[in-house]
Amino acid sequence: MKIYAKKKILIICRDAGGAELISSWLKFNKISFSGIISGPAKNIFKQKKIKFKQRLFLKKAIKENQIIIAGTGWNYKEYFKSWKLAKKYKKIIISFIDHWKNYKLRFKFKKKYFFPHEIWVSDIYAKKKAKKIFTKSKIRLIKNHYLEQLRKNKTHYRKKNKIIIATNNLDAAKKILKEKIKISDEFFVLKSINFIKKKYDSTNIYLKIHPSEKRKKYIQILKKNNLTNIKMLKETDPIKFAKSCKMLIACETNLLPVSKALGIKTYNFFLEGKINRVVPRVYFDNYLRV
């Protein structure tokens, strides 16, 4: 985008979802920037071979740049520190939202809200929702270069026979975020396994564990229910595990649009309560109702 070509930009990114969108946007538009890139985002920028200067000191980096672009992630204090400092030094603050849920909560830290000058979203569904919530921030619709690239390359993937169940830490959502979800992670996994066994080849079922969860939790669930033949997926990169995947069952996660873009059959586990069903219907094949 030409309006950012001559500006000094600092990218602050940690979460995988935001990192995929931001990195693809940067690469497509050939934008130069410096960055404070950490956590899962580090590997994503590395895999895409995006060159930038890694900054170590947040305050100094903010003072030396004109525009601060950050991802959003629940309760990640580095984002809030950057927004607070950027506001202090009168910088332009932009945030990417990579999902369709908990919009306002993404900008809350220690009972305070920090809203950016601009909020960027990647589809019309997110834009419509964001406009209702953020009345003082400019909402900008940015093309989703990440999904677009996946769709272009989907014929490169030879589907095999793995069926993947991707967890979403529903238990934490209920406990920490106070979401009114009636089912547990154990219920989701067991019902998904039963569905697969009835309709598909049950010898190649894998669990992909959400980054915020521990493998031990699911080892115990599988052992308790005599399902020790179910394997844990070691590969975390959705592009890599897609090469051997023919079907994905998930529950309101970003893996659904990614997998569908790659041509994988996708089921979104149906949650009771309209407020809990947030991934737009165009981004998956069917609901899994049990």
Side-chain angles (χ1 to χ4, degrees), residues 70-103:
T72 58
W74 182 78
N75 215 30
Y76 179 50
K77 66 179 181 180
E78 202 68 20
Y79 292 147
F80 297 96
K81 281 172 66 178
S82 67
W83 294 333
K84 197 172 180 180
L85 283 168
K87 189 176 180 181
K88 178 182 177 181
Y89 293 111
K90 297 180 180 179
K91 308 295 182 178
I92 296 171
I93 312 164
I94 298 169
S95 289
F96 255 104
I97 293 183
D98 63 284
H99 204 269
W100 302 270
K101 193 175 187 180
N102 295 325
Y103 278 19

Short mmCIF file of all heavy atoms in Angstrom, two decimals, residues 70-103:
data_model
loop_
_atom_site.label_atom_id
_atom_site.label_comp_id
_atom_site.label_asym_id
_atom_site.label_seq_id
_atom_site.Cartn_x
_atom_site.Cartn_y
_atom_site.Cartn_z
N ALA A 70 0.27 -3.78 15.29
CA ALA A 70 0.36 -4.93 16.19
C ALA A 70 -0.78 -5.91 15.95
O ALA A 70 -1.84 -5.54 15.44
CB ALA A 70 0.33 -4.46 17.64
N GLY A 71 -0.54 -7.14 16.33
CA GLY A 71 -1.61 -8.12 16.33
C GLY A 71 -2.47 -7.91 17.57
O GLY A 71 -2.28 -6.93 18.30
N THR A 72 -3.40 -8.79 17.80
CA THR A 72 -4.17 -8.74 19.04
C THR A 72 -4.20 -10.13 19.64
O THR A 72 -4.30 -11.12 18.93
CB THR A 72 -5.63 -8.29 18.80
OG1 THR A 72 -6.25 -9.17 17.87
CG2 THR A 72 -5.69 -6.87 18.29
N GLY A 73 -4.07 -10.19 20.93
CA GLY A 73 -4.12 -11.48 21.61
C GLY A 73 -4.60 -11.26 23.03
O GLY A 73 -4.25 -10.27 23.66
N TRP A 74 -5.38 -12.19 23.51
CA TRP A 74 -5.96 -12.00 24.83
C TRP A 74 -4.89 -11.90 25.91
O TRP A 74 -4.07 -12.79 26.09
CB TRP A 74 -6.93 -13.15 25.14
CG TRP A 74 -7.60 -12.98 26.46
CD1 TRP A 74 -8.63 -12.15 26.76
CD2 TRP A 74 -7.24 -13.62 27.69
NE1 TRP A 74 -8.96 -12.24 28.10
CE2 TRP A 74 -8.12 -13.14 28.69
CE3 TRP A 74 -6.27 -14.55 28.05
CZ2 TRP A 74 -8.05 -13.57 30.01
CZ3 TRP A 74 -6.20 -14.97 29.36
CH2 TRP A 74 -7.08 -14.49 30.32
N ASN A 75 -4.89 -10.78 26.63
CA ASN A 75 -4.06 -10.57 27.82
C ASN A 75 -2.56 -10.62 27.58
O ASN A 75 -1.79 -10.91 28.49
CB ASN A 75 -4.43 -11.61 28.90
CG ASN A 75 -4.32 -11.03 30.30
OD1 ASN A 75 -4.51 -9.84 30.51
ND2 ASN A 75 -4.01 -11.87 31.26
N TYR A 76 -2.10 -10.33 26.37
CA TYR A 76 -0.66 -10.30 26.11
C TYR A 76 -0.16 -8.88 26.40
O TYR A 76 -0.42 -7.95 25.66
CB TYR A 76 -0.36 -10.71 24.67
CG TYR A 76 1.12 -10.66 24.32
CD1 TYR A 76 2.06 -11.28 25.14
CD2 TYR A 76 1.56 -9.99 23.19
CE1 TYR A 76 3.40 -11.24 24.83
CE2 TYR A 76 2.92 -9.95 22.87
CZ TYR A 76 3.82 -10.58 23.70
OH TYR A 76 5.16 -10.53 23.39
N LYS A 77 0.59 -8.72 27.48
CA LYS A 77 0.91 -7.38 27.99
C LYS A 77 1.80 -6.56 27.05
O LYS A 77 1.78 -5.33 27.09
CB LYS A 77 1.55 -7.46 29.38
CG LYS A 77 2.92 -8.13 29.42
CD LYS A 77 3.44 -8.12 30.85
CE LYS A 77 4.83 -8.76 30.94
NZ LYS A 77 5.33 -8.74 32.33
N GLU A 78 2.57 -7.23 26.20
CA GLU A 78 3.45 -6.49 25.28
C GLU A 78 2.65 -5.60 24.32
O GLU A 78 3.07 -4.50 23.99
CB GLU A 78 4.31 -7.46 24.48
CG GLU A 78 5.59 -6.86 23.91
CD GLU A 78 6.61 -6.49 24.97
OE1 GLU A 78 6.54 -7.00 26.10
OE2 GLU A 78 7.47 -5.65 24.66
N TYR A 79 1.48 -6.09 23.89
CA TYR A 79 0.63 -5.27 23.03
C TYR A 79 0.17 -4.02 23.76
O TYR A 79 0.20 -2.92 23.23
CB TYR A 79 -0.61 -6.06 22.58
CG TYR A 79 -0.32 -7.21 21.63
CD1 TYR A 79 -1.09 -8.36 21.66
CD2 TYR A 79 0.70 -7.13 20.70
CE1 TYR A 79 -0.85 -9.42 20.80
CE2 TYR A 79 0.95 -8.19 19.83
CZ TYR A 79 0.18 -9.32 19.89
OH TYR A 79 0.43 -10.36 19.03
N PHE A 80 -0.24 -4.19 25.00
CA PHE A 80 -0.77 -3.06 25.77
C PHE A 80 0.34 -2.05 26.11
O PHE A 80 0.11 -0.85 26.08
CB PHE A 80 -1.46 -3.57 27.03
CG PHE A 80 -2.65 -4.43 26.74
CD1 PHE A 80 -2.54 -5.80 26.71
CD2 PHE A 80 -3.88 -3.87 26.45
CE1 PHE A 80 -3.63 -6.60 26.42
CE2 PHE A 80 -4.98 -4.65 26.16
CZ PHE A 80 -4.85 -6.03 26.15
N LYS A 81 1.49 -2.55 26.41
CA LYS A 81 2.63 -1.66 26.67
C LYS A 81 2.95 -0.83 25.44
O LYS A 81 3.21 0.37 25.51
CB LYS A 81 3.86 -2.48 27.08
CG LYS A 81 3.86 -2.94 28.52
CD LYS A 81 4.98 -3.90 28.80
CE LYS A 81 6.34 -3.25 28.69
NZ LYS A 81 7.43 -4.21 29.01
N SER A 82 2.90 -1.49 24.27
CA SER A 82 3.21 -0.78 23.03
C SER A 82 2.17 0.27 22.70
O SER A 82 2.48 1.38 22.28
CB SER A 82 3.34 -1.78 21.87
OG SER A 82 2.09 -2.38 21.58
N TRP A 83 0.87 -0.07 22.90
CA TRP A 83 -0.19 0.91 22.63
C TRP A 83 -0.07 2.12 23.56
O TRP A 83 -0.25 3.25 23.15
CB TRP A 83 -1.56 0.25 22.81
CG TRP A 83 -1.84 -0.81 21.79
CD1 TRP A 83 -1.32 -0.89 20.53
CD2 TRP A 83 -2.66 -1.96 21.95
NE1 TRP A 83 -1.79 -2.02 19.89
CE2 TRP A 83 -2.61 -2.70 20.73
CE3 TRP A 83 -3.44 -2.45 22.99
CZ2 TRP A 83 -3.31 -3.88 20.55
CZ3 TRP A 83 -4.15 -3.64 22.81
CH2 TRP A 83 -4.07 -4.34 21.59
N LYS A 84 0.25 1.85 24.83
CA LYS A 84 0.36 2.92 25.82
C LYS A 84 1.52 3.86 25.48
O LYS A 84 1.39 5.09 25.51
CB LYS A 84 0.56 2.31 27.21
CG LYS A 84 0.29 3.26 28.35
CD LYS A 84 0.33 2.52 29.67
CE LYS A 84 0.05 3.48 30.82
NZ LYS A 84 0.08 2.77 32.13
N LEU A 85 2.67 3.26 25.12
CA LEU A 85 3.84 4.06 24.76
C LEU A 85 3.61 4.82 23.45
O LEU A 85 3.99 5.98 23.31
CB LEU A 85 5.07 3.16 24.62
CG LEU A 85 5.72 2.70 25.92
CD1 LEU A 85 6.73 1.60 25.66
CD2 LEU A 85 6.40 3.88 26.63
N ALA A 86 2.98 4.15 22.49
CA ALA A 86 2.70 4.79 21.20
C ALA A 86 1.79 6.00 21.37
O ALA A 86 1.96 7.03 20.72
CB ALA A 86 2.09 3.79 20.25
N LYS A 87 0.84 5.86 22.25
CA LYS A 87 -0.07 6.98 22.53
C LYS A 87 0.69 8.13 23.19
O LYS A 87 0.48 9.30 22.85
CB LYS A 87 -1.21 6.50 23.45
CG LYS A 87 -2.32 7.52 23.63
CD LYS A 87 -3.45 6.94 24.46
CE LYS A 87 -4.56 7.98 24.63
NZ LYS A 87 -5.68 7.45 25.45
N LYS A 88 1.57 7.79 24.10
CA LYS A 88 2.37 8.80 24.80
C LYS A 88 3.22 9.59 23.83
O LYS A 88 3.36 10.82 23.94
CB LYS A 88 3.25 8.11 25.84
CG LYS A 88 4.16 9.06 26.62
CD LYS A 88 5.04 8.30 27.59
CE LYS A 88 6.01 9.25 28.31
NZ LYS A 88 6.90 8.49 29.26
N TYR A 89 3.82 8.90 22.84
CA TYR A 89 4.71 9.57 21.89
C TYR A 89 4.00 9.98 20.60
O TYR A 89 4.63 10.30 19.61
CB TYR A 89 5.91 8.67 21.59
CG TYR A 89 6.80 8.47 22.80
CD1 TYR A 89 6.88 7.23 23.43
CD2 TYR A 89 7.54 9.53 23.32
CE1 TYR A 89 7.67 7.04 24.55
CE2 TYR A 89 8.34 9.35 24.45
CZ TYR A 89 8.40 8.11 25.06
OH TYR A 89 9.19 7.94 26.17
N LYS A 90 2.67 9.95 20.64
CA LYS A 90 1.81 10.43 19.55
C LYS A 90 2.10 9.75 18.21
O LYS A 90 2.27 10.39 17.17
CB LYS A 90 1.95 11.96 19.43
CG LYS A 90 1.46 12.69 20.67
CD LYS A 90 1.60 14.19 20.54
CE LYS A 90 1.09 14.86 21.82
NZ LYS A 90 1.23 16.34 21.76
N LYS A 91 2.17 8.43 18.28
CA LYS A 91 2.36 7.63 17.07
C LYS A 91 1.01 7.12 16.57
O LYS A 91 0.05 7.04 17.32
CB LYS A 91 3.29 6.44 17.37
CG LYS A 91 4.61 6.80 18.02
CD LYS A 91 5.48 7.65 17.11
CE LYS A 91 6.81 7.97 17.78
NZ LYS A 91 7.70 8.74 16.90
N ILE A 92 0.97 6.73 15.30
CA ILE A 92 -0.25 6.13 14.75
C ILE A 92 -0.27 4.66 15.16
O ILE A 92 0.69 3.92 14.91
CB ILE A 92 -0.28 6.26 13.21
CG1 ILE A 92 -0.34 7.74 12.82
CG2 ILE A 92 -1.48 5.51 12.64
CD1 ILE A 92 -0.16 7.98 11.34
N ILE A 93 -1.38 4.24 15.77
CA ILE A 93 -1.48 2.87 16.27
C ILE A 93 -2.52 2.11 15.43
O ILE A 93 -3.65 2.54 15.29
CB ILE A 93 -1.91 2.84 17.74
CG1 ILE A 93 -1.08 3.82 18.56
CG2 ILE A 93 -1.81 1.42 18.31
CD1 ILE A 93 -1.67 4.12 19.92
N ILE A 94 -2.08 0.96 14.90
CA ILE A 94 -2.96 0.12 14.08
C ILE A 94 -2.95 -1.31 14.64
O ILE A 94 -1.88 -1.83 14.98
CB ILE A 94 -2.49 0.08 12.61
CG1 ILE A 94 -2.53 1.50 12.00
CG2 ILE A 94 -3.34 -0.88 11.78
CD1 ILE A 94 -1.85 1.61 10.66
N SER A 95 -4.12 -1.91 14.73
CA SER A 95 -4.20 -3.29 15.21
C SER A 95 -4.94 -4.18 14.22
O SER A 95 -5.97 -3.78 13.68
CB SER A 95 -4.91 -3.36 16.56
OG SER A 95 -4.10 -2.82 17.57
N PHE A 96 -4.39 -5.35 13.97
CA PHE A 96 -5.03 -6.37 13.14
C PHE A 96 -5.89 -7.26 14.02
O PHE A 96 -5.42 -7.76 15.05
CB PHE A 96 -3.95 -7.26 12.49
CG PHE A 96 -3.73 -6.99 11.04
CD1 PHE A 96 -2.61 -6.28 10.62
CD2 PHE A 96 -4.61 -7.46 10.09
CE1 PHE A 96 -2.37 -6.05 9.27
CE2 PHE A 96 -4.39 -7.23 8.74
CZ PHE A 96 -3.26 -6.52 8.33
N ILE A 97 -7.13 -7.47 13.64
CA ILE A 97 -7.97 -8.48 14.31
C ILE A 97 -8.09 -9.68 13.38
O ILE A 97 -8.49 -9.54 12.23
CB ILE A 97 -9.36 -7.93 14.66
CG1 ILE A 97 -9.24 -6.83 15.73
CG2 ILE A 97 -10.26 -9.05 15.17
CD1 ILE A 97 -10.56 -6.26 16.19
N ASP A 98 -7.72 -10.85 13.88
CA ASP A 98 -7.64 -12.04 13.02
C ASP A 98 -8.79 -13.02 13.23
O ASP A 98 -8.77 -14.12 12.68
CB ASP A 98 -6.30 -12.76 13.26
CG ASP A 98 -6.18 -13.27 14.69
OD1 ASP A 98 -5.93 -12.44 15.58
OD2 ASP A 98 -6.36 -14.47 14.92
N HIS A 99 -9.79 -12.65 14.03
CA HIS A 99 -10.88 -13.59 14.33
C HIS A 99 -12.19 -12.82 14.37
O HIS A 99 -12.26 -11.65 14.00
CB HIS A 99 -10.60 -14.31 15.66
CG HIS A 99 -11.27 -15.64 15.80
ND1 HIS A 99 -12.51 -15.78 16.36
CD2 HIS A 99 -10.88 -16.89 15.45
CE1 HIS A 99 -12.87 -17.06 16.35
NE2 HIS A 99 -11.89 -17.75 15.80
N TRP A 100 -13.26 -13.47 14.86
CA TRP A 100 -14.59 -12.86 14.89
C TRP A 100 -15.18 -12.87 16.29
O TRP A 100 -16.38 -12.81 16.48
CB TRP A 100 -15.53 -13.63 13.94
CG TRP A 100 -15.03 -13.66 12.53
CD1 TRP A 100 -15.29 -12.77 11.54
CD2 TRP A 100 -14.16 -14.64 11.96
NE1 TRP A 100 -14.64 -13.12 10.40
CE2 TRP A 100 -13.94 -14.27 10.62
CE3 TRP A 100 -13.54 -15.79 12.45
CZ2 TRP A 100 -13.13 -15.01 9.76
CZ3 TRP A 100 -12.74 -16.53 11.60
CH2 TRP A 100 -12.54 -16.14 10.27
N LYS A 101 -14.30 -12.94 17.29
CA LYS A 101 -14.78 -13.14 18.66
C LYS A 101 -14.00 -12.30 19.66
O LYS A 101 -12.82 -11.99 19.46
CB LYS A 101 -14.62 -14.64 19.01
CG LYS A 101 -15.34 -15.08 20.26
CD LYS A 101 -15.19 -16.59 20.40
CE LYS A 101 -16.01 -17.13 21.53
NZ LYS A 101 -15.87 -18.59 21.67
N ASN A 102 -14.67 -11.93 20.77
CA ASN A 102 -14.04 -11.20 21.88
C ASN A 102 -13.31 -9.93 21.42
O ASN A 102 -12.20 -9.66 21.86
CB ASN A 102 -13.06 -12.12 22.63
CG ASN A 102 -13.75 -13.28 23.30
OD1 ASN A 102 -14.86 -13.14 23.79
ND2 ASN A 102 -13.11 -14.43 23.32
N TYR A 103 -13.94 -9.19 20.54
CA TYR A 103 -13.28 -8.00 19.98
C TYR A 103 -12.84 -7.01 21.05
O TYR A 103 -11.70 -6.57 21.09
CB TYR A 103 -14.22 -7.32 18.99
CG TYR A 103 -14.21 -7.94 17.61
CD1 TYR A 103 -13.73 -9.22 17.39
CD2 TYR A 103 -14.69 -7.24 16.52
CE1 TYR A 103 -13.73 -9.78 16.13
CE2 TYR A 103 -14.70 -7.80 15.24
CZ TYR A 103 -14.22 -9.07 15.07
OH TYR A 103 -14.21 -9.63 13.82
#
